[in-house]
Amino acid sequence: MAELAALEDPKARAVNEKHGDDHGVNLGKLRAVAKRLKTQQELARGLWATGDTAARLLAILVSRPKAFSRDELDAMLREARAPKVHDWLVNYVVKKNPHAEELRLAWTADPDPVVASGGWALTTDRVAKQPEGLDLDKLLDVVEAEMKDAPDRLQWAMNHCLAQIGIDHPAHRARAIDIGERLEVLKDYPTPPNCTSPYAPIWINEMVRRQATP
């Protein structure tokens, strides 16, 4: 904790706080600490228990993803209110855990929109890597009915799933683009030069174009 405190940078904190993350540690420096520490599951649990955002990010990096129980991960996601902690927990830990599918189903149906966004992130991963068994038409039905009025983080996760379906599944591409055009979610999102807009129709068409370019 003392080492993390020494890495605190006011400029980094100012940038992170704009995104809802209450820490001031440069992520490159945080990864360097994790690389030195290597995997230490008990240390990871201790760091997580502090409740400190930088410590929790480090905990995720030094943890052994398959060592967590289903209930542990469920409790951790519900505690992970900082967006970066939530994102890293889902992507670096839950996706590699044997309970990922069980948690995906439970979280997607959860009334807490932040928890539900974790379920949608896991669904997007399956759309891209393991779509067998997913009802893509039903997913598009839910997105069409609920994304427009969903809270920010849940809306973002559902939009990513919409785009992923359009990018990876040509049979559903026209419908995915049509839903994106009608709902206009993230249509005016400020996008830096050389970055792809998160507006689903633009995102889908751009990724498909890249895949078709040798």
Side-chain angles (χ1 to χ4, degrees), residues 53-107:
T53 295
R56 285 184 163 181
L57 291 171
L58 182 60
I60 289 165
L61 294 176
V62 301
S63 72
R64 186 175 290 108
K66 292 178 181 176
F68 291 106
S69 71
R70 179 208 181 282
D71 289 347
E72 266 185 301
L73 290 176
D74 184 64
M76 288 166 76
L77 188 87
R78 292 172 192 282
E79 294 171 3
R81 306 316 283 189
K84 185 66 73 178
V85 174
H86 183 280
D87 185 47
W88 280 20
L89 181 66
V90 171
N91 285 294
Y92 297 169
V93 178
V94 181
K95 283 180 183 178
K96 300 173 184 175
N97 184 275
H99 301 288
E101 179 61 13
E102 190 184 343
L103 289 167
R104 181 185 78 82
L105 294 169
W107 289 344

Side-chain angles (χ1 to χ4, degrees), residues 137 140-141 143-145 147-148 159 162-163 165-167 169-185 187 199-205:
D137 279 315
L140 289 173
D141 288 345
V143 169
E144 189 169 16
M147 181 172 74
K148 181 81 171 176
N159 183 70
L162 173 67
I165 292 171
I167 292 162
H169 300 278
H172 299 274
R173 187 171 295 151
R175 186 182 174 201
I177 290 172
D178 177 62
I179 290 170
E181 287 175 343
R182 281 187 291 107
L183 299 186
E184 298 188 336
V185 167
K187 185 175 182 179
Y199 175 51
I202 293 175
W203 189 355
I204 293 166
N205 286 322

Side-chain angles (χ1 to χ4, degrees), residues 86 112-118 120-121 124 142-163 179-180 182-189 198-200 203:
H86 183 280
D112 182 330
V114 177
V115 174
S117 73
W120 277 91
T124 301
V142 176
V143 169
E144 189 169 16
E146 300 178 13
M147 181 172 74
K148 181 81 171 176
D149 299 317
D152 285 354
R153 282 164 68 184
L154 177 55
Q155 185 184 70
W156 188 273
M158 293 174 92
N159 183 70
H160 189 177
C161 190
L162 173 67
I179 290 170
R182 281 187 291 107
L183 299 186
E184 298 188 336
V185 167
L186 301 174
K187 185 175 182 179
D188 300 320
Y189 191 83
Y199 175 51
W203 189 355

Side-chain angles (χ1 to χ4, degrees), residues 1 40-52 55-56 59:
M1 294 304 293
Q40 297 190 46
Q41 183 66 7
E42 288 314 305
L43 174 62
R45 285 193 168 103
L47 287 167
W48 185 272
T50 66
D52 178 79
R56 285 184 163 181

